[in-house]
Amino acid sequence: MARPTLLLSAAETAAALDMAACIAAVEEGFRALGEGRTPPSEVLALHSEQGSMHVKAARWQGYFVVKANANFPGNPAQHGLPAIQGVVVLCDAATGELLALMDSSTLTALRTGAATAVAAQYLARRDGRVAAICGCGKQAWWQLQALRAVLPLERVFAFDTDPAAAERFAERVRHETQLEARAAPLDEAVRSADVIVTCTPARRFFLLADDVRPGAFVAAVGADNEHKQEIEPRLFSRSKVVCDSAAQCARMGDLHHALAAGAIHPGAVHADLAEVVAGKKSGRLSGQEITLFDSTGIALEDAAAAAQIYERALTARAGTEFRF
């Protein structure tokens, strides 16, 4: 007899997975990919004038997971709606049974932060204490929480093209953590930072190569389609470049723009993160290296997080069971 499908709301999805568990799940996913124990993810992207839809699919352990995510950056200001909306579909990989449907926005935020944390463990300096968060929307908070889990952060600079958003974010950091935090101009923020995260919908690069100091770790998170860009291409030629998926980043990440500009050639990409986590390629080798993580978001991250959410929700008897 077919099992019922579990429906998990945004709140139930969030309650089923904390950041530390998500980081561990995503790291194990990258390790399995690097060791050849799970196949590469797949992605389909569609675009309109106002936003985009990504459909990402992966197999993880005993599950098939598909995420359909709509990303409409103008939604909060124009319609009072979230920028990211969607659903994650989790199926049994042996029978095809539909086991769960869950909100994608919280899962996406968690696993994107977790991927940055995994990269930081291998690519950031262990003594990194100053972070610059560029872009102070919803993703900024999860990026900071993820970094706090793996680095001894003490101070945060917040930058946003909306100064009020940067001020609100800095205030939240001061209020909810033990970190020093303040809004700052872009050049001051990044020139002071050991760790730089860009998580914006920018369509033209704003992080300049000359503003990134030796030894910094850069996580380029915002460019998840070919129309977005945050990183000056020249920074790629100065950095050790690691991608969540070099093939995917070459199509839709900041790497896409660096390749088009001739600032780097495909063979100059150091590694996929899976290769680094699996020990097949090196991480950071010196305190002076600039390391750059191009993160477009791969479905394996969603799958690893979704599997944990589903299994924890079953144990906690959370969610609503239904049958079509």
Side-chain angles (χ1 to χ4, degrees):
M1 181 178 178
R3 287 167 284 180
T5 301
L6 191 63
L7 179 64
L8 294 167
S9 68
E12 290 164 337
T13 299
L17 191 63
D18 58 84
M19 182 57 79
C22 192
I23 292 170
V26 169
E27 183 172 17
E28 177 54 27
F30 277 113
R31 181 173 292 108
L33 180 61
E35 293 175 350
R37 292 186 284 115
T38 195
S41 304
E42 300 290 343
V43 61
L44 169 69
L46 301 170
H47 305 283
S48 70
E49 291 76 12
Q50 292 77 32
S52 62
M53 172 70 75
H54 287 132
V55 180
K56 296 181 176 180
R59 180 174 180 175
W60 174 240
Q61 297 176 338
Y63 304 106
F64 284 129
V65 177
V66 177
K67 183 179 77 173
N69 230 29
N71 190 334
F72 284 69
N75 267 1
Q78 298 172 18
H79 305 293
L81 294 171
I84 294 177
Q85 302 170 89
V87 64
V88 175
V89 179
L90 184 143
C91 299
D92 190 302
T95 66
E97 292 172 277
L98 176 57
L99 300 179
L101 298 173
M102 62 188 76
D103 171 72
S104 75
S105 61
T106 300
L107 181 150
T108 299
L110 272 164
R111 65 79 156 149
T112 305
T116 295
V118 173
Q121 290 181 105
Y122 294 88
L123 299 174
R125 295 200 327 266
R126 291 296 185 182
D127 62 349
R129 288 177 167 77
V130 181
I133 306 295
C134 304
C136 296
K138 178 180 179 180
Q139 182 56 224
W141 181 252
W142 294 108
Q143 289 289 318
L144 180 60
Q145 296 314 300
L147 288 171
R148 289 180 65 210
V150 298
L151 293 175
L153 295 184
E154 296 176 353
R155 190 181 320 144
V156 178
F157 290 98
F159 167 77
D160 196 281
T161 53
D162 177 2
E167 291 287 357
R168 288 193 299 269
F169 179 72
E171 173 60 27
R172 182 181 183 185
V173 174
R174 290 193 297 269
H175 180 71
E176 298 188 29
T177 75
Q178 301 301 310
L179 303 177
E180 300 176 29
R182 68 178 179 87
L186 177 62
D187 57 351
E188 179 186 354
V190 300
R191 288 175 180 175
S192 305
D194 305 310
V195 176
I196 301 166
V197 177
T198 60
C199 46
T200 78
R203 289 176 172 257
R204 172 69 176 170
F205 69 79
F206 59 86
L207 183 62
L208 304 180
D210 291 340
D211 287 342
V212 178
R213 68 185 188 182
F217 164 66
V218 178
V221 174
D224 58 359
N225 70 56
E226 63 270 28
H227 304 296
K228 295 181 181 180
Q229 182 184 22
E230 299 180 306
I231 310 300
E232 182 184 10
R234 196 161 57 91
L235 183 58
F236 279 78
S237 64
R238 296 182 55 199
S239 305
K240 173 178 280 186
V241 178
V242 174
C243 301
D244 55 5
S245 164
Q248 184 169 297
C249 290
R251 298 197 308 272
M252 55 192 287
D254 265 292
L255 176 62
H256 162 74
H257 298 285
L259 291 169
I264 190 173
H265 59 86
V269 173
H270 175 67
D272 278 357
L273 182 58
E275 297 175 292
V276 176
V277 174
K280 295 182 176 181
K281 294 286 184 71
S282 64
R284 174 177 288 275
L285 293 178
S286 80
Q288 294 300 300
E289 281 185 309
I290 296 174
T291 52
L292 196 165
F293 175 52
D294 195 3
S295 174
T296 50
I298 62 172
L300 185 60
E301 299 163 16
D302 300 303
Q308 278 221 5
I309 289 169
Y310 173 66
E311 291 168 2
R312 287 183 168 202
L314 285 180
T315 300
R317 298 182 181 275
T320 303
E321 292 186 351
F322 74 100
R323 298 179 188 275
F324 279 109

